[in-house]
Amino acid sequence: MMSDKNVDDYITEGIYGKRRPKEAEREQFLGTLRERIVLALTKGQVMSDKGLAKLEEAMQQHRDAKLLINGDVGYRFLKEEKQLADKYNISYTTISNEEKPTDIGAVLAYDYAVDQEEIFINEEEPAEEQQDTSNDKNDSFLSKIKNWFS
């Protein structure tokens, strides 16, 4: 009995080549697999430079890794990332895939699995809420008392 492939599968494979395992994962992570990644930055983190310190720290510890940069992110936003890569002699490649958009802006990865448990940066919550509660203590105290009776 033949395999489960149909004619469309053979035609697609003939045109585009054999489908690699975990293709969706490769599309999300700029052509690499999650198991190979040391650090992944979102487009927002790259554009706001929020991940620069963590990226530099990761580059210091993983000098044989490569930096993959999303080609959809403007050059002016990637200047610091490229300077860090140059500083630590880490090669970088710009990956452009117009057909498969991703929210990943840059990835520091190896050519082999390293199975880093946490690859994303946890962004801290802004401390504005704490400031709001400490301001105008009299108003907040009075409003609490008013709430008790309403």
Side-chain angles (χ1 to χ4, degrees):
M1 186 174 171
M2 285 182 53
S3 66
D4 292 337
K5 286 187 176 182
N6 63 27
V7 175
D8 289 337
D9 291 334
Y10 284 106
I11 292 172
T12 303
E13 197 173 289
I15 294 172
Y16 299 108
K18 198 166 193 149
R19 188 150 175 85
R20 298 182 295 178
K22 301 183 179 180
E23 193 66 36
E25 192 174 296
R26 291 177 194 269
E27 290 165 357
Q28 179 186 2
F29 292 115
L30 306 176
T32 194
L33 298 171
R34 195 228 177 271
E35 64 194 22
R36 299 177 178 181
I37 296 173
V38 174
L39 182 68
L41 301 175
T42 64
K43 285 181 180 177
Q45 289 169 332
V46 169
M47 291 193 285
S48 64
D49 292 333
K50 284 187 178 172
L52 278 179
K54 292 282 187 189
L55 181 61
E56 182 167 14
E57 187 180 305
M59 285 180 172
Q60 288 172 345
Q61 295 171 5
H62 302 277
R63 296 199 179 229
D64 293 334
K66 294 181 175 112
L67 183 64
L68 303 174
I69 299 170
N70 190 331
D72 293 342
V73 177
Y75 174 79
R76 65 190 175 104
F77 295 117
L78 297 166
K79 189 176 175 187
E80 286 84 1
E81 284 80 0
K82 289 179 179 180
Q83 286 173 343
L84 280 178
D86 289 339
K87 179 178 178 181
Y88 295 104
N89 293 320
I90 291 176
S91 64
Y92 57 86
T93 306
T94 303
I95 308 292
S96 295
N97 189 350
E98 306 296 321
E99 297 143 20
K100 304 289 181 183
T102 177
D103 64 337
I104 301 297
V107 168
L108 187 65
Y110 286 96
D111 291 335
Y112 51 88
V114 291
D115 292 317
Q116 184 95 1
E117 190 173 324
E118 194 57 49
I119 62 169
F120 293 103
I121 296 174
N122 293 331
E123 295 185 34
E124 293 99 36
E125 296 294 318
E128 293 172 20
E129 293 175 322
Q130 293 173 344
Q131 291 175 344
D132 290 343
T133 57
S134 64
N135 291 344
D136 301 324
K137 288 182 182 177
N138 293 340
D139 289 341
S140 62
F141 179 71
L142 288 176
S143 63
K144 285 180 185 177
I145 292 174
K146 287 178 185 175
N147 287 337
W148 288 343
F149 296 106
S150 42

